[in-house]
Amino acid sequence: MSDSGSATIDTQETFIRQRHAKYFAMCLKVLPRSMATLDTQRMTLVYFAVSGLDLLNSLALIESRRAAIIDWVYAMQVLPDKDNPGLNAQACGFRPGSSVGAPYNPKCEAQACLKHDSGHLAMSFTALSVLAVLGDDFSRVNRQAIVQSMRALQSDSGEFFATADKNESDVRFLYCACVVSHLIKDWSGVNKATAVAYIKSRQTYDGSFAAAPGLEGHAGYTFLCVASLYLMDQLDEVYTKVEQDRIIRWCIMRQQTGFTGRPGKLVDSCYSFWVGGTLKILGAYDLVDRTCLRGFLLSTQSTTTGGLAKSPDTLAGVGEPDVLPLDAAINMSERASQHAASLKF
Amino acid sequence: MGCLAICTQISLLIVQSDSEYESDSDSETYVFFKDRPQWADVKPLEQDDGPDPVVAILYADEFKDKMNYFRAIVQLDERSQRAFDLTTEVIKANPANYHAWHFRRLVMDALNLDYQPELAFTHRLAEANPKNYQIWHHRRVVAEKIRSPSNELEFTATQLDHDAKNYHAWTHRHWVVEAFGLWDGQLDYSALLLQRDVRNNSAWNYRYWILSKTNGLDSLAKIDEQLAFAFALIRKAPNNESAWNFVRGVASSRRFGDTPSIEAFCTDLSKSPVHYPYCLGLQVEIQEEKALAGNRDALLELEKLCDKLGNEVDTIRAKYWNYRKVTVRERCPQ
């Protein structure tokens, strides 16, 4: 249908599950020095590796390190100041790693807060997801502090800033706030009315969603907007079935063999998640040509090191037999999602 | 934070050769902070990763050295020239360090430093890291601080010359045009980019945005003018989804019945012996509008179009075209 991605796909290729799992387990241990550019996003790396192992039904590979990983994640929690909790009431949540210089505090004991130390919404989202996937009971999570900080991170226009210093803000962080609220089962940190208006203003003329009003629609932002509405339980309130069909149309048009992220761009395995996940939430994933998609995804596997040329959780959507079923809206296995839902606070 | 980009990066773990890193590890010229007399009064602060670190990065010694002193200076909350210079080094080693960018601005504000030179700093960094969120964010703050669009249009145009679909560059351009009211000439810019690449969806979107912000679609005559623009480019490349979506966009405030040139254009294009899926797809929507208004012939025509798409022209979407057929039928008045 377009010029991109028209290569012949070998549908007979096999999925090398164990090699992908070893790849993730290796990433969890050490990373080469060139990865220092990801130093302020380490929590997201833990998330990709742990959640990836879960979807590959291979958590057994890191069973001996389970407690250590959980401790490390908890050590990244920014807690209210011991003597004056109001001092950093807007800065709680999880940090990306230890780069700010905080003392290692896995037991989450009250301490004096550090200067310029702040949780980051993407890290709170990924930290809680890692804990859920590893079967933790959230007993060391300061839910109240997280909710209070989230309230401060949302502006009157509905947008969410990533950190207490209020620099970056876009749909990514609203989505993170939604997953955090979903996982800790407390929505008092999100003003849904302004969040919904914020999302609606990002819908474009072709039915997709963009990072800001007037910008080009993009599969990543489309997922974030649709998933946020779904998690807020607002999707069917905001968009009629006919309007949802417009979003579905744009998503379905993304399939060439794999999916593209925007019209006229090349196929890319990561969009199998962004587009596939959106379609799953909209109840339209059955409309995808899975044979074609699976063939494309398998062709992106690295047979030497393991790993796809993008992200392997994309295969969970295709129903690969070796991959656990996915709860697309929070990008977690259904197994882990059910565990999180069963927690009592 | 590069949520969207990070899945790309993780897959490159093994093979990555990062040019920024290479230039950073020039250990022959690097003087460690502990050996710099002007830093003798500062006690470096190591990061504490616990007894069993996860995703432990094997930092280069230079990287660790800079970060140890950066951590220390942040905890001292020292807003000084040397702190500013340190952020330059830390950011060069890791342009995604949002913490260092923020502290840099705090220092600049405290010392009342000129933001103008930051344009050159971000320009150099953006060349090596065109998709880094923090660099573009800083660039916006700089333009806000100096209250001038300065050469932002030119800067983004240069970035778009390298990658005409760079989402960050477009985001910045949209912002600067709106914040400083630089609407003049932008329609021509979109036409120029479409002349270079008619499939540039970013440029089509930009055109639509400029029109919608400058009363460019507020009459049927103006809509027809834009439709004519799109039709001419569709004739050159009929399988261009972006152009067809633009047609939908400019006509979206009206019914297809009010803009008959669209149906006429599709009908004419359909006379070709080659079947164009996007053309047939838009015809489905035109027939849908009529069918929902009670036109039974239109429903039959729509069903024929969906069958043709699903069975012959656009078979990868066979299930979708069947879904369309079924849903429209259900929604039609009985």
Side-chain angles (χ1 to χ4, degrees), chain A residues 1 23 27-28 31 33 35 39 42 44 48 65 72 98 116 168 172 216 245 252 254-255 262, chain B residues 1 6 10 13 16 21 49 53-56 58-59 99 134 167 201-202 241 314 317 323 331:
Chain A
M1 199 148 166
Y23 167 81
C27 294
L28 267 178
L31 297 175
R33 58 169 61 178
M35 287 293 112
D39 193 36
R42 280 172 68 199
T44 64
F48 282 123
R65 292 192 75 209
W72 187 88
S98 43
H116 304 292
E168 284 180 79
R172 289 171 299 156
E216 182 186 7
D245 273 349
I252 282 292
R254 303 278 53 75
Q255 187 169 23
R262 298 180 250 168
Chain B
M1 194 356 258
I6 203 163
I10 197 167
L13 282 177
Q16 190 188 40
Y21 161 72
D49 230 1
V54 186
V55 290
L58 300 170
Y59 305 111
H99 199 205
Q134 287 72 35
Y167 206 85
N201 193 58
S202 311
E241 184 186 356
D314 191 24
R317 270 167 278 278
Y323 167 80
R331 286 169 194 161

Side-chain angles (χ1 to χ4, degrees), chain A residues 125-183:
Chain A
F125 149 48
T126 46
L128 291 170
S129 300
V130 170
L131 293 175
V133 168
L134 293 178
D136 181 73
D137 60 1
F138 285 14
S139 57
R140 284 174 268 173
V141 175
N142 190 330
R143 293 165 61 241
Q144 205 187 342
I146 290 176
V147 165
Q148 199 178 344
S149 295
M150 282 207 307
R151 257 181 239 140
L153 293 176
Q154 190 178 19
S155 77
D156 293 344
S157 65
E159 72 186 328
F160 267 91
F161 290 94
T163 55
D165 54 38
K166 298 195 174 173
N167 285 304
E168 284 180 79
S169 88
D170 72 34
V171 185
R172 289 171 299 156
F173 308 117
L174 169 57
Y175 170 74
C176 293
C178 288
V179 181
V180 168
S181 305
H182 173 83
L183 290 175

